Amino acid sequence: MFMLSGLPGCGKSTFRAKLFNNHNEFASVISRDELIEYIADEFEFTYSEMFNLAPKLIDAIFDKNIKELNNTSLDDFHVIWDMTNLTKKSRKRHMDKLSIKFDKKICIQYTPMPRSEVKERLDGRVGKDISEEIYSTMFNWF
């Protein structure tokens, strides 16, 4: 079990892609962002529009996916949890949703990057807006 933790735009998904793209048959990815992007695409919304319109629906679908994963045999299989998970309490709450017992749990936590680099990355995400106020709050949690 790998949990990637860090601020938006710090490279969690990029790291995951580089590490596991050649080994998808051995990994199941839990990514709230990918779920939101998928639903938004289906209904022709942007990520931010879907995130703001239907947070409870997204949470319900996400939790349903976790329950399905709990019913899956994961022998010789890795689970990669790709979410912001900024606080220890948040990470524990999400880990507790998984009833699967893992031999090892690894949390890879990304340190904050220079604001200019994060801003450049976030500005490149069309339709996925994070206000400076929200980002600053997340930065303080980190």
Side-chain angles (χ1 to χ4, degrees):
M1 162 73 171
F2 297 89
M3 178 176 273
L4 307 180
S5 180
L7 292 165
C10 72
K12 297 178 301 289
S13 298
T14 301
F15 173 79
R16 182 195 84 210
K18 287 180 181 177
L19 186 62
F20 291 102
N21 265 2
N22 295 331
H23 307 287
N24 283 340
E25 67 274 14
F26 301 111
S28 179
V29 175
I30 301 170
S31 173
R32 192 167 189 262
D33 278 352
E34 287 183 8
L35 175 64
I36 295 168
E37 288 169 4
Y38 175 80
I39 295 170
D41 285 347
E42 287 293 308
F43 293 98
E44 298 181 1
F45 287 105
T46 66
Y47 176 100
S48 293
E49 289 169 335
M50 184 55 65
F51 184 88
N52 292 320
L53 282 172
K56 290 183 180 183
L57 173 64
I58 292 163
D59 288 343
I61 295 170
F62 189 78
D63 287 345
K64 181 179 181 291
N65 290 345
I66 298 294
K67 287 177 186 174
E68 289 174 8
L69 183 62
N70 282 332
N71 294 324
T72 303
S73 172
L74 295 176
D75 296 333
D76 298 321
F77 209 69
H78 298 292
V79 172
I80 301 112
W81 196 301
D82 182 355
M83 273 178 75
T84 304
N85 304 308
L86 294 177
T87 64
K88 185 176 181 179
K89 183 178 178 180
S90 171
R91 290 189 297 271
K92 181 178 179 344
R93 186 178 71 246
H94 290 300
M95 290 275 228
D96 288 348
K97 290 180 181 181
L98 285 173
S99 62
I100 303 163
K101 302 301 177 213
F102 296 94
D103 292 336
K104 295 179 184 171
K105 293 180 183 175
I106 299 169
C107 181
I108 301 169
Q109 189 160 346
Y110 286 84
T111 57
M113 300 170 65
R115 292 295 276 264
S116 59
E117 189 174 336
V118 169
K119 181 167 178 22
E120 185 179 315
R121 284 179 173 216
L122 294 177
D123 287 348
R125 297 178 176 182
V126 177
K128 190 174 184 181
D129 307 314
I130 300 174
S131 72
E132 181 61 32
E133 180 183 343
I134 291 173
Y135 188 85
S136 293
T137 300
M138 296 170 108
F139 185 86
N140 290 333
W141 289 340
F142 197 76

